Amino acid sequence: MPNSPWSHMRRDGIADDVDFEIKGQELQFVEIELDPGESAVAEAGAMVWKDASIAMTTVFGDGSSSGSGAGFMGALLGAGKRLVTGESLFTTVFTHQGSGKARVAFASPTPGSILPLRLADLGGTLICQKDSFLAAAKGVQIGVAFQRRVMTGLFGGEGFVMQRLDGDGWVFVQMGGTVVKRELRAGEELHVDTGCLAAYTPSVDFDLVTVGGVRTMFTGGEGAFFARLRGPGTVWIQSLPFARLAGRMLQAAGGRGGNRGEGSVLGGLGDWVGGND
């Protein structure tokens, strides 16, 4: 594959390493190049095209070869984790069964960016919004990350149940709009709309803080809570979460929409305050 800012060439001696290139701008797709015997795993329905020598297999769970447990119980556990995050019980594994090189491409279903991340460079774990996972080198485990604080669990909305990706290989996560990466120093804080928080490393402390007084909560249009992120660690922010895009579309169609902080449980009360009922 030709070199580009969004391409990677396999390095010998590194497990779960695949060649890839991300193409496009607002509507991107990732093209993964497999050697004989190599596999990639992806969400059901994400494939755009593949070479004929790449075989497809639907598996129960996350498709990893090193999930928790063994046999059927291990697969059942992996599937249960995916179900909690709203994903399908099944994933699709793409394996190159021929000779030479073969390619398979996966696309994001919404406008935005596909971000390639090597888990080994992040300490082996990434926490991201549910629905963020698009594809990965086989062996990456897809689980669930619950927020432990009570307030975050009650009012965190999209930030409450998140995906947890574990392993040492490449993962490709889909994020809405433009993506910004922030490196937080120890003790440094960042406040982010709960829907705009795309991903972060486990070393980041995640909690909720109120946006201000009662009037600001109900009339400011930003929801009642911000995600408070405290370093050290890395945070990825997306400018257009799908919930915000869907809200604008509903609003344009005459339904309820707008931004009150994606995932806020006060959405119905916000409708009443805004005069939509």
Side-chain angles (χ1 to χ4, degrees):
M1 291 184 183
N3 289 323
S4 76
W6 292 106
S7 65
H8 166 74
M9 302 302 292
R10 179 182 178 86
R11 290 178 289 176
D12 293 336
I14 297 178
D16 297 320
D17 201 12
V18 293
D19 300 339
F20 67 85
E21 184 176 7
I22 294 177
K23 299 181 178 180
Q25 298 299 322
E26 290 78 15
L27 297 171
Q28 295 184 332
F29 69 92
V30 57
E31 186 179 286
I32 298 177
E33 189 173 77
L34 301 175
D35 291 327
E38 284 186 336
S39 298
V41 59
E43 283 293 344
M47 190 198 78
V48 179
W49 59 268
K50 70 178 183 67
D51 287 332
S53 60
I54 295 180
M56 295 173 53
T57 305
T58 300
V59 297
F60 191 58
D62 61 10
S64 66
S65 58
S66 57
S68 301
F72 175 76
M73 291 306 297
L76 185 62
L77 179 60
K81 291 178 180 179
R82 289 173 51 76
L83 188 63
V84 170
T85 59
E87 303 292 343
S88 168
L89 288 174
F90 301 91
T91 53
T92 306
V93 177
F94 298 81
T95 304
H96 181 15
Q97 296 183 342
S99 59
K101 303 283 188 178
R103 300 178 183 180
V104 58
F106 307 103
S108 172
T110 58
S113 305
I114 297 176
L115 193 63
L117 297 170
R118 184 170 174 265
L119 292 178
D121 298 333
L122 304 175
T125 300
L126 178 72
I127 309 297
C128 55
Q129 285 278 13
K130 60 180 182 179
D131 301 322
S132 293
F133 174 76
L134 177 66
K138 187 177 180 182
V140 171
Q141 300 177 46
I142 310 166
V144 58
F146 287 104
Q147 305 305 327
R148 290 171 294 180
R149 292 183 173 89
V150 174
M151 190 173 73
T152 307
L154 291 175
F155 301 104
E158 294 185 28
F160 170 43
V161 180
M162 304 186 77
Q163 288 182 328
R164 179 186 175 104
L165 306 178
D166 293 291
D168 61 356
W170 286 97
V171 297
F172 305 94
V173 290
Q174 51 198 1
M175 300 180 181
T178 301
V179 179
V180 175
K181 178 182 177 181
R182 289 286 302 268
E183 296 287 351
L184 300 181
R185 302 183 301 273
E188 182 180 3
E189 285 192 13
L190 182 67
H191 294 176
V192 182
D193 182 279
T194 54
C196 292
L197 173 60
Y200 59 94
T201 53
S203 59
V204 174
D205 181 65
F206 175 36
D207 200 358
L208 293 181
V209 293
T210 58
V211 300
V214 174
R215 181 177 179 180
T216 302
M217 288 184 185
F218 294 139
T219 64
E222 300 299 338
F225 299 95
F226 289 142
R228 189 216 67 191
L229 306 163
R230 178 180 293 160
T234 306
V235 176
W236 289 267
I237 304 167
Q238 58 186 0
S239 66
L240 184 63
F242 179 72
R244 179 176 295 178
L245 175 62
R248 292 297 187 267
M249 294 173 65
L250 287 173
Q251 189 176 44
R256 299 175 181 177
N259 173 29
R260 286 183 295 274
E262 284 70 28
S264 172
V265 296
L266 301 180
L269 184 57
D271 277 329
W272 178 79
V273 172
N276 293 330
D277 284 336

